[in-house]
Amino acid sequence: MRHDAIVVGGSFAGLSAATYIARGRRSVAVIDAGAPRNRFAAHSHGFLAQEGSNPGAILAAARQQLAAYEGLSLIAATALDARRTDDGFAVVLDRGETLEAARLVLAFGLTDLLPDVPGLRERWGRSVLHCPYCHGYELAGQRLGVLHTAPHSIHQAMLIAEWGPTTLFLDGKEMPDAATQDELARRGVQIEPSPVLALEGDDGTLSHVALGDGRELSLDALYIAAPTQLNSDLAGRLGCAIVEGPLGPMIQTDADRMTSIPGVFAAGDIARAPHSVAWAASDGVTAGVALHRSLVFG
């Protein structure tokens, strides 16, 4: 089946792109594997007019509204392969179907590679978090921590201190240099050098951190800068340039979210370093409008 555009990924970036392509009266197919990155979070914050809403509910409402557009198809599937053709692109789905389009939007998202700390994974998106702008306001003034997972974690701890008293858990790693220690102290960040053995608390909450020297340190929330990986190899298969971001690989794009391959756009977490629902939606709008204009003006 041939479309004007195929969007790979049906979360905030992908659905935003599809909205603007459809409003431009072009046919668009959205391929969605059904596993958005923020599915572990019960509430979305900082997204205009959706404060405290469930992210899954927002996406469900968006899909329902998009279904009303003529020429828009929502396909529950995983894209296994993508290739250039003489007049556009072909995308192969896991259910055996091949779709073709003049343009592509890649919005398949990232996976967070969480540290192997007992009690961490089941608290991800609840009391173990990655973004203070997404969740910090609701935790302001509480006992906060940052788990050292990368050099970026020291900067993260200095930032998190804006929201409350913060401890940087080195987890057995080397102490920062004297100048960095001084800067952490000026920001009110405590340094805890002992290895982190486990996170503990009831029903997904966090009450304390068990340390390697036998102590237990009370804590309400822990932030981590987890490494990330792309959810799909489609960008590489298409030849799109991929660069190394602060936490993992990113697809290189220009201001219009066009990749290094003409006709292929990328939006959302896979194409930027700071991540949030609002940024993902904004990037999707940019990609959708730019894609539509490329169809109009060639």
Side-chain angles (χ1 to χ4, degrees), residues 109-179:
L110 300 173
T111 294
D112 296 284
L113 304 176
L114 301 178
D116 188 20
V117 176
L120 187 148
R121 189 172 298 274
E122 55 266 40
R123 291 174 173 79
W124 180 238
R126 301 178 65 181
S127 53
V128 178
L129 310 162
H130 82 287
C131 173
Y133 296 103
C134 300
H135 305 285
Y137 186 87
E138 287 68 32
L139 297 165
Q142 298 186 48
R143 301 162 299 183
L144 309 176
V146 171
L147 182 64
H148 194 299
T149 57
H152 176 76
S153 300
I154 292 175
H155 171 80
Q156 187 183 31
M158 294 180 186
L159 179 64
I160 297 301
E162 284 290 296
W163 282 267
T166 300
T167 299
L168 173 62
F169 292 89
L170 292 180
D171 195 23
K173 298 180 179 64
E174 185 178 349
M175 285 287 290
D177 60 42

Side-chain angles (χ1 to χ4, degrees), residues 25-207:
R25 301 176 65 235
R26 297 288 184 152
S27 62
V28 53
V30 180
I31 303 166
D32 183 22
R37 185 184 181 194
N38 65 352
R39 63 191 181 276
F40 304 101
H43 305 285
S44 175
H45 300 289
F47 193 30
L48 194 64
Q50 294 290 343
E51 185 60 41
S53 297
N54 180 277
I58 299 173
L59 292 175
R63 287 192 293 268
Q64 183 178 19
Q65 293 167 7
L66 278 171
Y69 283 100
E70 183 178 354
L72 191 144
S73 303
L74 296 167
I75 301 171
T78 298
L80 297 181
D81 192 16
R83 64 181 183 273
R84 283 184 277 187
T85 64
D86 291 340
D87 57 353
F89 303 91
V91 177
V92 180
L93 307 185
D94 59 349
R95 61 191 199 183
E97 186 178 356
T98 297
L99 306 180
E100 294 189 358
R103 303 286 189 273
L104 289 182
V105 178
L106 304 179
F108 46 69
L110 300 173
T111 294
D112 296 284
L113 304 176
L114 301 178
D116 188 20
V117 176
L120 187 148
R121 189 172 298 274
E122 55 266 40
R123 291 174 173 79
W124 180 238
R126 301 178 65 181
S127 53
V128 178
L129 310 162
H130 82 287
C131 173
Y133 296 103
C134 300
H135 305 285
Y137 186 87
E138 287 68 32
L139 297 165
Q142 298 186 48
R143 301 162 299 183
L144 309 176
V146 171
L147 182 64
H148 194 299
T149 57
H152 176 76
S153 300
I154 292 175
H155 171 80
Q156 187 183 31
M158 294 180 186
L159 179 64
I160 297 301
E162 284 290 296
W163 282 267
T166 300
T167 299
L168 173 62
F169 292 89
L170 292 180
D171 195 23
K173 298 180 179 64
E174 185 178 349
M175 285 287 290
D177 60 42
T180 302
Q181 291 183 48
D182 289 344
E183 182 61 25
L184 287 165
R186 280 194 292 272
R187 295 291 300 141
V189 177
Q190 302 293 317
I191 299 176
E192 175 50 65
S194 295
V196 173
L197 295 187
L199 307 184
E200 298 179 353
D202 297 327
D203 299 324
T205 64
L206 179 59
S207 62

Side-chain angles (χ1 to χ4, degrees), residues 246-269:
L247 298 175
M250 297 166 42
I251 301 172
Q252 187 177 60
T253 66
D254 63 14
D256 288 333
R257 295 304 171 194
M258 173 86 82
T259 71
S260 60
I261 301 300
V264 180
F265 298 79
D269 295 352

